[in-house]
Amino acid sequence: MGDTEPQTAGGKVLWHFTMSLDGFVAGPNHEMDWMMTGISFRPDLVEEYVETTGAVLGGRDGWDAFPDAGNTYGGAWKGATFVLTHHPEDAEPADGVTFLSCDLAEAVRIGLAAAGGKNLEVLSPTIGRQLLELGLIDEIDLHIAPVLLGEGIRLYDNPGGEPVRLHRVGEGDPTSVVNVRYRPTVTARKAAAESGQDN
């Protein structure tokens, strides 16, 4: 299957996530353990984002679940981390983390200035959705994992909202559907064969 071109550092506001095939970016309580086994990434993918990311913008819920800015990209990335919150006064201070209580456009301005010409990565589904509605997202970069979670935190959750039309980046028709094909690790044929061996 084809892949996207490597990410570039272009001063973009980049909404970036690994997502399950059914649209979840985390489990019900922000669990991320589903990414630890059974999936792989192309070689040098992490390094690509380490090199092109200048700053990170996240939300309070995600921060409270994983309060460790030093673990971004497995600890390989170092830079300014911003956490947008309505209650910065009760946030536990952390090295390299600035808690912001401002409007979204101001948070983006601050983040882009800190990114120094590299990308500002948005690592929050809620903030990403709101920025998208304001026209403040330049690109959405998704790594679709071959797993169905069934529940959790969706990348984009906007009941009653209008559909948001996107253009695929790269060559060809920007409105074309991306085709993927997967098989369950246990297929009907395999299960039937194993069942027959047991008899």
Side-chain angles (χ1 to χ4, degrees), residues 13 57 82 100 103-115 120 136:
V13 179
L57 175 63
F82 299 95
L100 300 175
D103 65 41
L104 289 161
E106 179 68 4
V108 166
R109 186 195 65 73
I110 292 167
L112 284 173
L120 171 62
L136 294 174

Side-chain angles (χ1 to χ4, degrees), residues 124-181:
S124 163
T126 305
I127 292 172
R129 175 183 57 78
Q130 293 171 349
L131 292 176
L132 190 63
E133 291 169 358
L134 293 171
L136 294 174
I137 292 287
D138 293 310
E139 235 172 67
I140 303 169
D141 204 343
L142 298 175
H143 313 293
I144 301 172
V147 61
L148 299 168
L149 290 185
E151 63 176 340
I153 298 167
R154 291 195 175 279
L155 171 74
Y156 185 77
D157 200 4
N158 191 21
E162 292 294 317
V164 176
R165 302 292 175 186
L166 306 172
H167 277 181
R168 188 173 52 82
V169 175
E171 296 181 8
D173 180 358
T175 64
S176 67
V177 170
V178 175
N179 299 303
V180 295
R181 182 177 293 168

Side-chain angles (χ1 to χ4, degrees), residues 5 9 12-13 22 32 53 55-56 59 61 64 67 95-96 99 108 140-141 145 147 153 164 168-169 172 187 190:
E5 291 294 317
K12 294 178 277 197
V13 179
D22 53 347
M32 306 299 281
T53 301
V56 166
D61 288 345
D64 286 347
D95 290 342
F99 293 93
V108 166
I140 303 169
D141 204 343
V147 61
I153 298 167
V164 176
R168 188 173 52 82
V169 175
T187 62
K190 183 176 178 183

